[in-house]
Amino acid sequence: MRRLLALALLAGACAPAWADDVRCLQSADGGKPIRMSLTLFGTSDGHLVSAGEVLYAGEPESLPIVFKSSEAVEDFENRSSIFLTTWLEVLPDEERIGGRYSFRHQGAVLFDFQYHNLRTGKTYHFEENRDVLDQKNSCNWP
């Protein structure tokens, strides 16, 4: 069953991407920074396809992620609601879910981005760094 789940998740992660949403994130917990590129795959009309990837700076390969849930946590009368969105990290070699990425967002603005490692139980907090996103839609870390 796990193998089928992993294969299904990976197949979704290989969907064509035409309008990807790329975010450059850096840990905010102090110490040596953890840097990552979060890419949510989308269609040409801007709709997400429930799949994406995370590439940690210095790592040769990205990890697939799949959409889990999104819920409005605060509604406003004259502007966009604030949502809590969760994505799951797939570890294909181990055929399991490795962690959970969750963040609050209002439209395109991200806040309170965190990664929870399911093996260690540790949670890491991240901040978006728009200054390192280059014109090729890649994170160009210094």
Side-chain angles (χ1 to χ4, degrees):
M1 180 67 172
R2 282 191 202 176
R3 181 168 286 223
L4 289 175
L5 174 62
L7 290 173
L9 294 175
L10 287 174
C14 296
W18 301 286
D20 298 340
D21 181 9
V22 177
R23 305 300 177 111
C24 303
L25 299 149
Q26 181 171 315
S27 61
D29 298 326
K32 183 178 178 184
I34 301 169
R35 297 178 173 138
M36 76 167 96
S37 169
L38 169 78
T39 303
L40 306 178
F41 299 145
T43 62
S44 59
D45 59 1
H47 291 91
L48 295 179
V49 295
S50 299
E53 65 184 7
V54 173
L55 177 62
Y56 285 90
E59 294 296 321
E61 294 186 26
S62 61
L63 295 169
I65 59 173
V66 293
F67 176 79
K68 180 180 185 282
S69 63
S70 187
E71 63 179 295
V73 292
E74 193 171 349
D75 292 317
F76 300 98
E77 189 172 315
N78 296 322
R79 58 186 170 139
S80 300
S81 298
I82 295 178
F83 289 87
L84 174 62
T85 300
T86 302
W87 292 74
L88 300 176
E89 173 187 72
V90 179
L91 301 177
D93 292 344
E94 298 177 29
E95 298 182 358
R96 69 178 181 89
I97 303 300
R100 180 178 57 243
Y101 297 90
S102 58
F103 51 92
R104 294 181 188 278
H105 62 97
Q106 185 175 28
V109 179
L110 296 181
F111 16 84
D112 193 28
F113 188 100
Q114 54 186 290
Y115 169 72
H116 180 77
N117 184 306
L118 295 177
R119 179 178 285 169
T120 66
K122 184 160 170 97
T123 299
Y124 301 87
H125 297 272
F126 289 83
E127 295 175 343
E128 186 172 14
N129 184 341
R130 295 178 189 193
D131 295 335
V132 299
L133 185 64
D134 65 21
Q135 292 186 3
K136 295 178 184 176
N137 224 15
S138 297
C139 299
N140 187 10
W141 296 104

PDB file of all heavy atoms in Angstrom, residues 48-84:
ATOM      1  N   LEU A  48      -3.007  25.859  -9.146  1.00  0.00           N
ATOM      2  CA  LEU A  48      -2.052  24.883  -8.620  1.00  0.00           C
ATOM      3  C   LEU A  48      -2.527  23.474  -8.951  1.00  0.00           C
ATOM      4  O   LEU A  48      -3.721  23.219  -9.052  1.00  0.00           O
ATOM      5  CB  LEU A  48      -1.899  25.040  -7.112  1.00  0.00           C
ATOM      6  CG  LEU A  48      -1.282  26.352  -6.644  1.00  0.00           C
ATOM      7  CD1 LEU A  48      -1.213  26.389  -5.121  1.00  0.00           C
ATOM      8  CD2 LEU A  48       0.082  26.576  -7.239  1.00  0.00           C
ATOM      9  N   VAL A  49      -1.571  22.549  -9.107  1.00  0.00           N
ATOM     10  CA  VAL A  49      -1.907  21.169  -9.471  1.00  0.00           C
ATOM     11  C   VAL A  49      -1.692  20.201  -8.310  1.00  0.00           C
ATOM     12  O   VAL A  49      -1.591  19.009  -8.523  1.00  0.00           O
ATOM     13  CB  VAL A  49      -1.125  20.696 -10.723  1.00  0.00           C
ATOM     14  CG1 VAL A  49      -1.525  21.498 -11.933  1.00  0.00           C
ATOM     15  CG2 VAL A  49       0.367  20.744 -10.487  1.00  0.00           C
ATOM     16  N   SER A  50      -1.648  20.685  -7.096  1.00  0.00           N
ATOM     17  CA  SER A  50      -1.525  19.862  -5.876  1.00  0.00           C
ATOM     18  C   SER A  50      -0.204  19.118  -5.782  1.00  0.00           C
ATOM     19  O   SER A  50      -0.119  18.085  -5.121  1.00  0.00           O
ATOM     20  CB  SER A  50      -2.693  18.872  -5.768  1.00  0.00           C
ATOM     21  OG  SER A  50      -3.911  19.564  -5.703  1.00  0.00           O
ATOM     22  N   ALA A  51       0.819  19.615  -6.447  1.00  0.00           N
ATOM     23  CA  ALA A  51       2.141  19.001  -6.371  1.00  0.00           C
ATOM     24  C   ALA A  51       3.197  20.105  -6.445  1.00  0.00           C
ATOM     25  O   ALA A  51       2.936  21.205  -6.930  1.00  0.00           O
ATOM     26  CB  ALA A  51       2.342  18.001  -7.503  1.00  0.00           C
ATOM     27  N   GLY A  52       4.378  19.778  -5.952  1.00  0.00           N
ATOM     28  CA  GLY A  52       5.473  20.731  -5.988  1.00  0.00           C
ATOM     29  C   GLY A  52       6.759  20.050  -5.562  1.00  0.00           C
ATOM     30  O   GLY A  52       6.846  18.817  -5.558  1.00  0.00           O
ATOM     31  N   GLU A  53       7.743  20.871  -5.224  1.00  0.00           N
ATOM     32  CA  GLU A  53       9.016  20.328  -4.780  1.00  0.00           C
ATOM     33  C   GLU A  53       9.709  21.332  -3.872  1.00  0.00           C
ATOM     34  O   GLU A  53       9.427  22.525  -3.922  1.00  0.00           O
ATOM     35  CB  GLU A  53       9.908  19.975  -5.960  1.00  0.00           C
ATOM     36  CG  GLU A  53      10.345  21.171  -6.785  1.00  0.00           C
ATOM     37  CD  GLU A  53      11.144  20.787  -8.015  1.00  0.00           C
ATOM     38  OE1 GLU A  53      11.269  19.586  -8.323  1.00  0.00           O
ATOM     39  OE2 GLU A  53      11.644  21.706  -8.673  1.00  0.00           O
ATOM     40  N   VAL A  54      10.602  20.810  -3.046  1.00  0.00           N
ATOM     41  CA  VAL A  54      11.443  21.621  -2.176  1.00  0.00           C
ATOM     42  C   VAL A  54      12.883  21.240  -2.481  1.00  0.00           C
ATOM     43  O   VAL A  54      13.228  20.061  -2.501  1.00  0.00           O
ATOM     44  CB  VAL A  54      11.120  21.359  -0.686  1.00  0.00           C
ATOM     45  CG1 VAL A  54      12.101  22.071   0.211  1.00  0.00           C
ATOM     46  CG2 VAL A  54       9.698  21.775  -0.379  1.00  0.00           C
ATOM     47  N   LEU A  55      13.700  22.247  -2.734  1.00  0.00           N
ATOM     48  CA  LEU A  55      15.122  22.019  -2.971  1.00  0.00           C
ATOM     49  C   LEU A  55      15.890  22.795  -1.914  1.00  0.00           C
ATOM     50  O   LEU A  55      15.821  24.027  -1.850  1.00  0.00           O
ATOM     51  CB  LEU A  55      15.542  22.487  -4.364  1.00  0.00           C
ATOM     52  CG  LEU A  55      17.032  22.356  -4.679  1.00  0.00           C
ATOM     53  CD1 LEU A  55      17.477  20.898  -4.641  1.00  0.00           C
ATOM     54  CD2 LEU A  55      17.350  22.986  -6.026  1.00  0.00           C
ATOM     55  N   TYR A  56      16.597  22.061  -1.058  1.00  0.00           N
ATOM     56  CA  TYR A  56      17.422  22.689  -0.036  1.00  0.00           C
ATOM     57  C   TYR A  56      18.746  23.113  -0.658  1.00  0.00           C
ATOM     58  O   TYR A  56      19.331  22.369  -1.454  1.00  0.00           O
ATOM     59  CB  TYR A  56      17.659  21.733   1.133  1.00  0.00           C
ATOM     60  CG  TYR A  56      16.438  21.581   2.007  1.00  0.00           C
ATOM     61  CD1 TYR A  56      15.482  20.604   1.753  1.00  0.00           C
ATOM     62  CD2 TYR A  56      16.239  22.450   3.073  1.00  0.00           C
ATOM     63  CE1 TYR A  56      14.352  20.490   2.555  1.00  0.00           C
ATOM     64  CE2 TYR A  56      15.119  22.343   3.884  1.00  0.00           C
ATOM     65  CZ  TYR A  56      14.179  21.361   3.612  1.00  0.00           C
ATOM     66  OH  TYR A  56      13.062  21.254   4.395  1.00  0.00           O
ATOM     67  N   ALA A  57      19.216  24.317  -0.316  1.00  0.00           N
ATOM     68  CA  ALA A  57      20.487  24.824  -0.840  1.00  0.00           C
ATOM     69  C   ALA A  57      21.592  23.833  -0.515  1.00  0.00           C
ATOM     70  O   ALA A  57      21.682  23.328   0.601  1.00  0.00           O
ATOM     71  CB  ALA A  57      20.798  26.190  -0.230  1.00  0.00           C
ATOM     72  N   GLY A  58      22.418  23.527  -1.503  1.00  0.00           N
ATOM     73  CA  GLY A  58      23.527  22.601  -1.328  1.00  0.00           C
ATOM     74  C   GLY A  58      23.177  21.151  -1.592  1.00  0.00           C
ATOM     75  O   GLY A  58      24.050  20.295  -1.606  1.00  0.00           O
ATOM     76  N   GLU A  59      21.905  20.842  -1.776  1.00  0.00           N
ATOM     77  CA  GLU A  59      21.480  19.466  -2.062  1.00  0.00           C
ATOM     78  C   GLU A  59      21.335  19.275  -3.569  1.00  0.00           C
ATOM     79  O   GLU A  59      20.878  20.176  -4.262  1.00  0.00           O
ATOM     80  CB  GLU A  59      20.150  19.146  -1.370  1.00  0.00           C
ATOM     81  CG  GLU A  59      20.241  19.126   0.144  1.00  0.00           C
ATOM     82  CD  GLU A  59      21.150  18.029   0.650  1.00  0.00           C
ATOM     83  OE1 GLU A  59      21.138  16.914   0.082  1.00  0.00           O
ATOM     84  OE2 GLU A  59      21.902  18.281   1.615  1.00  0.00           O
ATOM     85  N   PRO A  60      21.718  18.098  -4.084  1.00  0.00           N
ATOM     86  CA  PRO A  60      21.670  17.877  -5.530  1.00  0.00           C
ATOM     87  C   PRO A  60      20.262  17.636  -6.076  1.00  0.00           C
ATOM     88  O   PRO A  60      20.008  17.901  -7.253  1.00  0.00           O
ATOM     89  CB  PRO A  60      22.540  16.629  -5.731  1.00  0.00           C
ATOM     90  CG  PRO A  60      22.458  15.908  -4.422  1.00  0.00           C
ATOM     91  CD  PRO A  60      22.313  16.978  -3.365  1.00  0.00           C
ATOM     92  N   GLU A  61      19.343  17.128  -5.259  1.00  0.00           N
ATOM     93  CA  GLU A  61      18.019  16.789  -5.756  1.00  0.00           C
ATOM     94  C   GLU A  61      16.927  17.364  -4.855  1.00  0.00           C
ATOM     95  O   GLU A  61      17.102  17.483  -3.643  1.00  0.00           O
ATOM     96  CB  GLU A  61      17.852  15.270  -5.834  1.00  0.00           C
ATOM     97  CG  GLU A  61      18.763  14.641  -6.870  1.00  0.00           C
ATOM     98  CD  GLU A  61      18.485  13.160  -7.040  1.00  0.00           C
ATOM     99  OE1 GLU A  61      17.350  12.718  -6.765  1.00  0.00           O
ATOM    100  OE2 GLU A  61      19.414  12.448  -7.438  1.00  0.00           O
ATOM    101  N   SER A  62      15.812  17.673  -5.487  1.00  0.00           N
ATOM    102  CA  SER A  62      14.667  18.190  -4.740  1.00  0.00           C
ATOM    103  C   SER A  62      13.829  17.042  -4.186  1.00  0.00           C
ATOM    104  O   SER A  62      13.962  15.895  -4.603  1.00  0.00           O
ATOM    105  CB  SER A  62      13.812  19.071  -5.644  1.00  0.00           C
ATOM    106  OG  SER A  62      13.326  18.314  -6.732  1.00  0.00           O
ATOM    107  N   LEU A  63      12.970  17.372  -3.241  1.00  0.00           N
ATOM    108  CA  LEU A  63      12.029  16.415  -2.664  1.00  0.00           C
ATOM    109  C   LEU A  63      10.626  16.786  -3.123  1.00  0.00           C
ATOM    110  O   LEU A  63      10.243  17.961  -3.062  1.00  0.00           O
ATOM    111  CB  LEU A  63      12.084  16.460  -1.138  1.00  0.00           C
ATOM    112  CG  LEU A  63      13.387  16.024  -0.500  1.00  0.00           C
ATOM    113  CD1 LEU A  63      13.393  16.372   0.984  1.00  0.00           C
ATOM    114  CD2 LEU A  63      13.571  14.532  -0.704  1.00  0.00           C
ATOM    115  N   PRO A  64       9.839  15.807  -3.569  1.00  0.00           N
ATOM    116  CA  PRO A  64       8.468  16.121  -3.972  1.00  0.00           C
ATOM    117  C   PRO A  64       7.604  16.444  -2.759  1.00  0.00           C
ATOM    118  O   PRO A  64       7.811  15.907  -1.668  1.00  0.00           O
ATOM    119  CB  PRO A  64       7.993  14.841  -4.662  1.00  0.00           C
ATOM    120  CG  PRO A  64       8.908  13.770  -4.203  1.00  0.00           C
ATOM    121  CD  PRO A  64      10.192  14.414  -3.785  1.00  0.00           C
ATOM    122  N   ILE A  65       6.648  17.349  -2.977  1.00  0.00           N
ATOM    123  CA  ILE A  65       5.653  17.659  -1.959  1.00  0.00           C
ATOM    124  C   ILE A  65       4.272  17.564  -2.602  1.00  0.00           C
ATOM    125  O   ILE A  65       4.126  17.752  -3.814  1.00  0.00           O
ATOM    126  CB  ILE A  65       5.864  19.046  -1.307  1.00  0.00           C
ATOM    127  CG1 ILE A  65       5.815  20.158  -2.347  1.00  0.00           C
ATOM    128  CG2 ILE A  65       7.161  19.082  -0.526  1.00  0.00           C
ATOM    129  CD1 ILE A  65       5.845  21.563  -1.754  1.00  0.00           C
ATOM    130  N   VAL A  66       3.287  17.237  -1.790  1.00  0.00           N
ATOM    131  CA  VAL A  66       1.912  17.131  -2.281  1.00  0.00           C
ATOM    132  C   VAL A  66       0.991  17.922  -1.351  1.00  0.00           C
ATOM    133  O   VAL A  66       1.214  17.993  -0.139  1.00  0.00           O
ATOM    134  CB  VAL A  66       1.428  15.671  -2.392  1.00  0.00           C
ATOM    135  CG1 VAL A  66       2.201  14.937  -3.473  1.00  0.00           C
ATOM    136  CG2 VAL A  66       1.557  14.942  -1.080  1.00  0.00           C
ATOM    137  N   PHE A  67      -0.027  18.505  -1.944  1.00  0.00           N
ATOM    138  CA  PHE A  67      -0.989  19.302  -1.205  1.00  0.00           C
ATOM    139  C   PHE A  67      -1.780  18.428  -0.243  1.00  0.00           C
ATOM    140  O   PHE A  67      -2.223  17.341  -0.596  1.00  0.00           O
ATOM    141  CB  PHE A  67      -1.938  19.982  -2.197  1.00  0.00           C
ATOM    142  CG  PHE A  67      -3.030  20.763  -1.550  1.00  0.00           C
ATOM    143  CD1 PHE A  67      -2.780  22.020  -1.043  1.00  0.00           C
ATOM    144  CD2 PHE A  67      -4.310  20.239  -1.451  1.00  0.00           C
ATOM    145  CE1 PHE A  67      -3.799  22.751  -0.437  1.00  0.00           C
ATOM    146  CE2 PHE A  67      -5.322  20.957  -0.855  1.00  0.00           C
ATOM    147  CZ  PHE A  67      -5.072  22.219  -0.343  1.00  0.00           C
ATOM    148  N   LYS A  68      -1.955  18.917   0.990  1.00  0.00           N
ATOM    149  CA  LYS A  68      -2.770  18.205   1.982  1.00  0.00           C
ATOM    150  C   LYS A  68      -4.069  18.938   2.261  1.00  0.00           C
ATOM    151  O   LYS A  68      -5.142  18.383   2.124  1.00  0.00           O
ATOM    152  CB  LYS A  68      -2.000  18.007   3.280  1.00  0.00           C
ATOM    153  CG  LYS A  68      -2.816  17.256   4.341  1.00  0.00           C
ATOM    154  CD  LYS A  68      -2.024  17.084   5.626  1.00  0.00           C
ATOM    155  CE  LYS A  68      -2.783  16.241   6.623  1.00  0.00           C
ATOM    156  NZ  LYS A  68      -3.831  16.945   7.326  1.00  0.00           N
ATOM    157  N   SER A  69      -3.959  20.226   2.627  1.00  0.00           N
ATOM    158  CA  SER A  69      -5.179  20.940   3.002  1.00  0.00           C
ATOM    159  C   SER A  69      -4.957  22.449   2.987  1.00  0.00           C
ATOM    160  O   SER A  69      -3.826  22.921   3.028  1.00  0.00           O
ATOM    161  CB  SER A  69      -5.644  20.519   4.397  1.00  0.00           C
ATOM    162  OG  SER A  69      -4.670  20.870   5.358  1.00  0.00           O
ATOM    163  N   SER A  70      -6.078  23.163   2.960  1.00  0.00           N
ATOM    164  CA  SER A  70      -6.062  24.615   3.098  1.00  0.00           C
ATOM    165  C   SER A  70      -7.382  25.032   3.732  1.00  0.00           C
ATOM    166  O   SER A  70      -8.444  24.564   3.314  1.00  0.00           O
ATOM    167  CB  SER A  70      -5.885  25.296   1.741  1.00  0.00           C
ATOM    168  OG  SER A  70      -5.711  26.690   1.917  1.00  0.00           O
ATOM    169  N   GLU A  71      -7.284  25.864   4.742  1.00  0.00           N
ATOM    170  CA  GLU A  71      -8.503  26.309   5.406  1.00  0.00           C
ATOM    171  C   GLU A  71      -8.383  27.781   5.772  1.00  0.00           C
ATOM    172  O   GLU A  71      -7.304  28.262   6.136  1.00  0.00           O
ATOM    173  CB  GLU A  71      -8.780  25.478   6.665  1.00  0.00           C
ATOM    174  CG  GLU A  71      -7.711  25.612   7.732  1.00  0.00           C
ATOM    175  CD  GLU A  71      -8.009  24.801   8.989  1.00  0.00           C
ATOM    176  OE1 GLU A  71      -8.998  25.109   9.673  1.00  0.00           O
ATOM    177  OE2 GLU A  71      -7.226  23.882   9.259  1.00  0.00           O
ATOM    178  N   ALA A  72      -9.489  28.499   5.655  1.00  0.00           N
ATOM    179  CA  ALA A  72      -9.527  29.901   6.059  1.00  0.00           C
ATOM    180  C   ALA A  72      -9.453  29.963   7.577  1.00  0.00           C
ATOM    181  O   ALA A  72     -10.195  29.270   8.265  1.00  0.00           O
ATOM    182  CB  ALA A  72     -10.786  30.570   5.553  1.00  0.00           C
ATOM    183  N   VAL A  73      -8.537  30.770   8.092  1.00  0.00           N
ATOM    184  CA  VAL A  73      -8.406  30.898   9.540  1.00  0.00           C
ATOM    185  C   VAL A  73      -8.826  32.287  10.016  1.00  0.00           C
ATOM    186  O   VAL A  73      -9.021  32.490  11.215  1.00  0.00           O
ATOM    187  CB  VAL A  73      -6.967  30.576  10.019  1.00  0.00           C
ATOM    188  CG1 VAL A  73      -6.664  29.103   9.828  1.00  0.00           C
ATOM    189  CG2 VAL A  73      -5.938  31.447   9.342  1.00  0.00           C
ATOM    190  N   GLU A  74      -8.946  33.222   9.073  1.00  0.00           N
ATOM    191  CA  GLU A  74      -9.415  34.557   9.422  1.00  0.00           C
ATOM    192  C   GLU A  74     -10.024  35.186   8.180  1.00  0.00           C
ATOM    193  O   GLU A  74      -9.388  35.257   7.133  1.00  0.00           O
ATOM    194  CB  GLU A  74      -8.251  35.406   9.942  1.00  0.00           C
ATOM    195  CG  GLU A  74      -8.672  36.676  10.606  1.00  0.00           C
ATOM    196  CD  GLU A  74      -7.525  37.391  11.314  1.00  0.00           C
ATOM    197  OE1 GLU A  74      -6.435  36.814  11.477  1.00  0.00           O
ATOM    198  OE2 GLU A  74      -7.741  38.542  11.701  1.00  0.00           O
ATOM    199  N   ASP A  75     -11.283  35.627   8.298  1.00  0.00           N
ATOM    200  CA  ASP A  75     -11.987  36.238   7.175  1.00  0.00           C
ATOM    201  C   ASP A  75     -12.104  37.740   7.387  1.00  0.00           C
ATOM    202  O   ASP A  75     -12.224  38.211   8.528  1.00  0.00           O
ATOM    203  CB  ASP A  75     -13.387  35.635   7.026  1.00  0.00           C
ATOM    204  CG  ASP A  75     -13.363  34.186   6.594  1.00  0.00           C
ATOM    205  OD1 ASP A  75     -12.560  33.859   5.688  1.00  0.00           O
ATOM    206  OD2 ASP A  75     -14.134  33.383   7.149  1.00  0.00           O
ATOM    207  N   PHE A  76     -12.072  38.469   6.270  1.00  0.00           N
ATOM    208  CA  PHE A  76     -12.202  39.924   6.308  1.00  0.00           C
ATOM    209  C   PHE A  76     -13.291  40.333   5.329  1.00  0.00           C
ATOM    210  O   PHE A  76     -13.485  39.689   4.300  1.00  0.00           O
ATOM    211  CB  PHE A  76     -10.879  40.595   5.923  1.00  0.00           C
ATOM    212  CG  PHE A  76      -9.744  40.230   6.834  1.00  0.00           C
ATOM    213  CD1 PHE A  76      -8.854  39.233   6.476  1.00  0.00           C
ATOM    214  CD2 PHE A  76      -9.574  40.874   8.044  1.00  0.00           C
ATOM    215  CE1 PHE A  76      -7.807  38.887   7.309  1.00  0.00           C
ATOM    216  CE2 PHE A  76      -8.532  40.527   8.884  1.00  0.00           C
ATOM    217  CZ  PHE A  76      -7.640  39.535   8.516  1.00  0.00           C
ATOM    218  N   GLU A  77     -13.961  41.411   5.629  1.00  0.00           N
ATOM    219  CA  GLU A  77     -15.065  41.849   4.786  1.00  0.00           C
ATOM    220  C   GLU A  77     -14.592  42.411   3.449  1.00  0.00           C
ATOM    221  O   GLU A  77     -15.155  42.110   2.416  1.00  0.00           O
ATOM    222  CB  GLU A  77     -15.891  42.899   5.529  1.00  0.00           C
ATOM    223  CG  GLU A  77     -17.175  43.253   4.813  1.00  0.00           C
ATOM    224  CD  GLU A  77     -18.055  44.148   5.649  1.00  0.00           C
ATOM    225  OE1 GLU A  77     -18.209  43.870   6.850  1.00  0.00           O
ATOM    226  OE2 GLU A  77     -18.577  45.111   5.085  1.00  0.00           O
ATOM    227  N   ASN A  78     -13.535  43.213   3.444  1.00  0.00           N
ATOM    228  CA  ASN A  78     -13.137  43.917   2.222  1.00  0.00           C
ATOM    229  C   ASN A  78     -11.778  43.497   1.668  1.00  0.00           C
ATOM    230  O   ASN A  78     -11.181  44.235   0.889  1.00  0.00           O
ATOM    231  CB  ASN A  78     -13.137  45.424   2.472  1.00  0.00           C
ATOM    232  CG  ASN A  78     -14.517  45.942   2.776  1.00  0.00           C
ATOM    233  OD1 ASN A  78     -15.494  45.487   2.179  1.00  0.00           O
ATOM    234  ND2 ASN A  78     -14.615  46.870   3.718  1.00  0.00           N
ATOM    235  N   ARG A  79     -11.267  42.339   2.074  1.00  0.00           N
ATOM    236  CA  ARG A  79      -9.990  41.862   1.527  1.00  0.00           C
ATOM    237  C   ARG A  79      -9.913  40.352   1.643  1.00  0.00           C
ATOM    238  O   ARG A  79     -10.776  39.705   2.218  1.00  0.00           O
ATOM    239  CB  ARG A  79      -8.797  42.545   2.209  1.00  0.00           C
ATOM    240  CG  ARG A  79      -8.739  42.367   3.689  1.00  0.00           C
ATOM    241  CD  ARG A  79      -7.607  43.186   4.288  1.00  0.00           C
ATOM    242  NE  ARG A  79      -7.727  43.163   5.736  1.00  0.00           N
ATOM    243  CZ  ARG A  79      -6.736  43.041   6.554  1.00  0.00           C
ATOM    244  NH1 ARG A  79      -5.515  42.952   6.100  1.00  0.00           N
ATOM    245  NH2 ARG A  79      -6.918  43.033   7.851  1.00  0.00           N
ATOM    246  N   SER A  80      -8.851  39.796   1.110  1.00  0.00           N
ATOM    247  CA  SER A  80      -8.687  38.341   1.087  1.00  0.00           C
ATOM    248  C   SER A  80      -8.609  37.763   2.494  1.00  0.00           C
ATOM    249  O   SER A  80      -8.105  38.400   3.424  1.00  0.00           O
ATOM    250  CB  SER A  80      -7.391  37.968   0.361  1.00  0.00           C
ATOM    251  OG  SER A  80      -7.414  38.433  -0.951  1.00  0.00           O
ATOM    252  N   SER A  81      -9.081  36.544   2.617  1.00  0.00           N
ATOM    253  CA  SER A  81      -8.984  35.811   3.879  1.00  0.00           C
ATOM    254  C   SER A  81      -7.548  35.366   4.111  1.00  0.00           C
ATOM    255  O   SER A  81      -6.741  35.296   3.182  1.00  0.00           O
ATOM    256  CB  SER A  81      -9.876  34.569   3.841  1.00  0.00           C
ATOM    257  OG  SER A  81     -11.226  34.931   3.693  1.00  0.00           O
ATOM    258  N   ILE A  82      -7.234  35.045   5.353  1.00  0.00           N
ATOM    259  CA  ILE A  82      -5.951  34.419   5.676  1.00  0.00           C
ATOM    260  C   ILE A  82      -6.201  32.919   5.743  1.00  0.00           C
ATOM    261  O   ILE A  82      -7.147  32.461   6.374  1.00  0.00           O
ATOM    262  CB  ILE A  82      -5.393  34.946   7.013  1.00  0.00           C
ATOM    263  CG1 ILE A  82      -5.059  36.433   6.879  1.00  0.00           C
ATOM    264  CG2 ILE A  82      -4.161  34.138   7.431  1.00  0.00           C
ATOM    265  CD1 ILE A  82      -4.545  37.076   8.156  1.00  0.00           C
ATOM    266  N   PHE A  83      -5.346  32.158   5.054  1.00  0.00           N
ATOM    267  CA  PHE A  83      -5.479  30.713   4.979  1.00  0.00           C
ATOM    268  C   PHE A  83      -4.293  30.037   5.649  1.00  0.00           C
ATOM    269  O   PHE A  83      -3.187  30.565   5.646  1.00  0.00           O
ATOM    270  CB  PHE A  83      -5.532  30.244   3.518  1.00  0.00           C
ATOM    271  CG  PHE A  83      -6.804  30.600   2.825  1.00  0.00           C
ATOM    272  CD1 PHE A  83      -6.960  31.823   2.197  1.00  0.00           C
ATOM    273  CD2 PHE A  83      -7.867  29.703   2.807  1.00  0.00           C
ATOM    274  CE1 PHE A  83      -8.148  32.150   1.565  1.00  0.00           C
ATOM    275  CE2 PHE A  83      -9.054  30.013   2.181  1.00  0.00           C
ATOM    276  CZ  PHE A  83      -9.195  31.248   1.554  1.00  0.00           C
ATOM    277  N   LEU A  84      -4.529  28.854   6.185  1.00  0.00           N
ATOM    278  CA  LEU A  84      -3.468  27.964   6.660  1.00  0.00           C
ATOM    279  C   LEU A  84      -3.419  26.813   5.666  1.00  0.00           C
ATOM    280  O   LEU A  84      -4.400  26.088   5.498  1.00  0.00           O
ATOM    281  CB  LEU A  84      -3.757  27.435   8.065  1.00  0.00           C
ATOM    282  CG  LEU A  84      -2.769  26.391   8.588  1.00  0.00           C
ATOM    283  CD1 LEU A  84      -1.363  26.976   8.685  1.00  0.00           C
ATOM    284  CD2 LEU A  84      -3.217  25.847   9.925  1.00  0.00           C
TER     285      LEU A  84
END
